[in-house]
Every structure is written in structure tokens, then in C-alpha cells.
């Protein structure tokens, strides 16, 4: 399948990242001034991202099957010697399915959290972390190269750490957040080494370049890269434990110590 440049409404795919990222910036930097209405902003952003995701999906269906992989170049990120990385988004059948899943389920979770966190004085901060998690997850599934994917992975790890330790005054929450942070570093090491091996072997870390060059690479190198890539998700523990809004903990949020 040939990857073409994004056209039509898909040229605005950057909105998928912009909506939740804007919500996180407003809620986390706006401070207590946003306490009264911050949850509304936090819940609106994933809904807006989901609405655009549906538009992008419908646009994709209008293309022939062989032309549904589209790439949107955003900006040049790193250009050092032969190492060049551009930030771009790849819209194809797989990524758009993840976009609809992340934004659709994420919107429902945000709406549910409006009531669940109603009595928490730090509700605005919780929605800021949730929006940050959503933006990082979307970058993870939409990036068109492995370094962009790595940046999204790190963002997801940071947001998970912040959410797990949201009620930081609870020893169990603080301990769980530290354990998750340390475990994620193991996965990060494997992923970063795999990216280095890719560049040394293929001369690129773009998905299109790696996939086209992989058949000619040695089986030992490919096996090492695959094992290192698998190490990242295997080393990461479930992030829902001890986090606010966990579906297994149906109880009111705790009161903050005075």
C-alpha cells in the first residue's frame, strides 16, 4: 500500500492532538481560576477529538482501498548529519480505528468522571492529567515514525504516573505511582535500543522506510529489534490500579487533608 499526502479534511488531523493538549494546558496552567468550569473544558476536548475522528474516518472510506494510507507532515524536528526526523501523522485503517477507540471511550470516561469527581477539590487537575493522557495516547498511535511513537509512549507513562499518584497523600497511591514509573523505565530502555538498532541497520526510523527495508535485513537483527519492541509493553504494569475513577473502586473520592 502506497502512503500518500493527506488531503481534504484529513489535512486537519493535527486537531486530534490539539484538542486534548489545549485542554491539558488550560487546566494545568490556569490554576484555581479554572476550578469552577475546568471539568467542562476537560470533558469537551475528547468529544471534539472524537467528532473530528469520525470525519477523518468517513473521508478515508471515500478513498480506494489502496489509497487509504495518508501522511500529514507537521514540522521538521531533528536534523543532525544523516539523522533526520520529521514529526508527522499517519492516517490509515489501523490508526484511525485506534483514534476512534481512544477518543470515543476516552470521551465516555471523561463524562463519567464529571460526576465521579464532583466532590474532589482537585477535579480540575484530574481532568488536566486525563487530557494529557489522551493527547499522548493519540500521538502514540498516529506518529509516522518510531521516535514520535517513543515521545507518545513517554507522554503516556508520565500521565499514568500522575494519575496513579493523583491522591498523593495516600501511601498506597504514592507507592503504586513510583512502582509504575520504575517499571516503565525498563520498557523505555528496550524501545530506545530498538530505535537505535533500526537507524543503524536501515538508516531511517520512518515506518515506511523501515518496513520497506526490513525484508533485506539479517534475521538476527530483526529478531533483536522485535524482542526489544515487545519488551516495552511487557514491562509496563496496568495503570488503572489505585488511580482515580478506576472501574473496580466504586466509592467516593477521599477528602484531602487539611
Amino acid at each position: 500500500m502506497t502512503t500518500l499526502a493527506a488531503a481534504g479534511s484529513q489535512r486537519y488531523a493535527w486537531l486530534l492532538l490539539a484538542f486534548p493538549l489545549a485542554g491539558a494546558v488550560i487546566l494545568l496552567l490556569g490554576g484555581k481560576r479554572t476550578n469552577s468550569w475546568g471539568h467542562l473544558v476537560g470533558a469537551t476536548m475528547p468529544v471534539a477529538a472524537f467528532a473530528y475522528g469520525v470525519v477523518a474516518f468517513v473521508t478515508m472510506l471515500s478513498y480506494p482501498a489502496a489509497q487509504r494510507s495518508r501522511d500529514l507532515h507537521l514540522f521538521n524536528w531533528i536534523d543532525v548529519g544523516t539523522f533526520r526526523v520529521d514529526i508527522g501523522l499517519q492516517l490509515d485503517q489501523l490508526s484511525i480505528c485506534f483514534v476512534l477507540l481512544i477518543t470515543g471511550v476516552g470521551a465516555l470516561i471523561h463524562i463519567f468522571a464529571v460526576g465521579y469527581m464532583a466532590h474532589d477539590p482537585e477535579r480540575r487537575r484530574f481532568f488536566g492529567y486525563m487530557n494529557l493522557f489522551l493527547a499522548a495516547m493519540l500521538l502514540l498511535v498516529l506518529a509516522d515514525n518510531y521516535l514520535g511513537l517513543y515521545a507518545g509512549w513517554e507522554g503516556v507513562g508520565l500521565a499514568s504516573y500522575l494519575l496513579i499518584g493523583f491522591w498523593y497523600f495516600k501511601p498506597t497511591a504514592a507507592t503504586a505511582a513510583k512502582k509504575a514509573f520504575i517499571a516503565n523505565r525498563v520498557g523505555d530502555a528496550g524501545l530506545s535500543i530498538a530505535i537505535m538498532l533500526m537507524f543503524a541497520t536501515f538508516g531511517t526510523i520512518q515506518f515506511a522506510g523501515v518496513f520497506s527495508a526490513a525484508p533485506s535485513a539479517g534475521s538476527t537483527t530483526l529478531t533483536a529489534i522485535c524482542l526489544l519492541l515487545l519488551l516495552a509493553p511487557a514491562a509496563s504494569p496496568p495503570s488503572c490500579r489505585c488511580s482515580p475513577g478506576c472501574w473496580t473502586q466504586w466509592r467516593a473520592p477521599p477528602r484531602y487533608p487539611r
Side-chain angles (χ1 to χ4, degrees):
M1 182 180 294
T2 303
T3 300
L4 305 174
S9 62
Q10 290 188 342
R11 290 179 297 176
Y12 305 100
W14 54 269
L15 288 172
L16 290 169
L17 302 179
F19 282 132
L21 192 58
V25 170
I26 292 172
L27 298 177
L28 296 179
L29 299 184
K32 295 182 178 179
R33 291 171 294 182
T34 65
N35 279 350
S36 59
W37 47 267
H39 58 286
L40 299 178
V41 172
T44 300
M45 293 306 177
V47 174
F50 176 73
Y52 176 79
V54 172
V55 172
F57 174 69
V58 173
T59 302
M60 176 177 291
L61 292 180
S62 67
Y63 298 137
Q67 300 179 10
R68 289 180 178 175
S69 181
R70 302 278 172 154
D71 189 84
L72 176 64
H73 178 267
L74 297 180
F75 58 88
N76 299 329
W77 185 15
I78 302 174
D79 191 359
V80 180
T82 59
F83 185 64
R84 178 185 175 89
V85 179
D86 298 331
I87 290 297
L89 306 179
Q90 183 166 318
L91 296 169
D92 54 27
Q93 293 94 322
L94 180 61
S95 65
I96 202 68
C97 286
F98 276 113
V99 164
L100 294 176
L101 175 66
I102 293 168
T103 57
V105 176
L108 294 177
I109 293 174
H110 278 73
I111 293 171
F112 170 81
V114 170
Y116 184 87
M117 301 292 289
H119 302 292
D120 196 300
E122 295 290 327
R123 179 169 62 169
R124 177 263 314 166
R125 180 167 59 90
F126 171 78
F127 277 94
Y129 293 161
M130 287 287 285
N131 275 200
L132 179 62
F133 184 92
L134 199 71
M137 183 64 74
L138 287 170
L139 176 60
L140 174 65
V141 301
L142 285 171
D144 65 353
N145 63 79
Y146 283 98
L147 197 57
L149 180 149
Y150 185 83
W153 174 268
E154 287 297 321
V156 170
L158 171 63
S160 297
Y161 168 77
L162 294 173
L163 285 168
I164 294 172
F166 179 76
W167 291 319
Y168 54 85
F169 54 88
K170 296 176 58 180
T172 53
T175 301
K178 287 186 287 186
K179 287 181 178 179
F181 184 84
I182 295 171
N184 278 329
R185 301 290 71 77
V186 178
D188 296 345
L191 187 55
S192 61
I193 295 173
I195 294 172
M196 296 175 196
L197 282 176
M198 284 180 200
F199 182 73
T201 304
F202 308 124
T204 180
I205 56 173
Q206 296 289 130
F207 291 157
V210 171
F211 295 157
S212 62
S216 61
S219 59
T220 302
T221 302
L222 288 177
T223 301
I225 292 174
C226 290
L227 289 175
L228 289 167
L229 289 175
L230 290 173
L231 178 63
S236 301
S239 59
C240 70
R241 297 176 185 174
C242 303
S243 59
C246 181
W247 300 100
T248 60
Q249 297 181 12
W250 293 87
R251 60 173 181 268
R255 294 180 178 274
Y256 279 75
R258 297 185 180 277

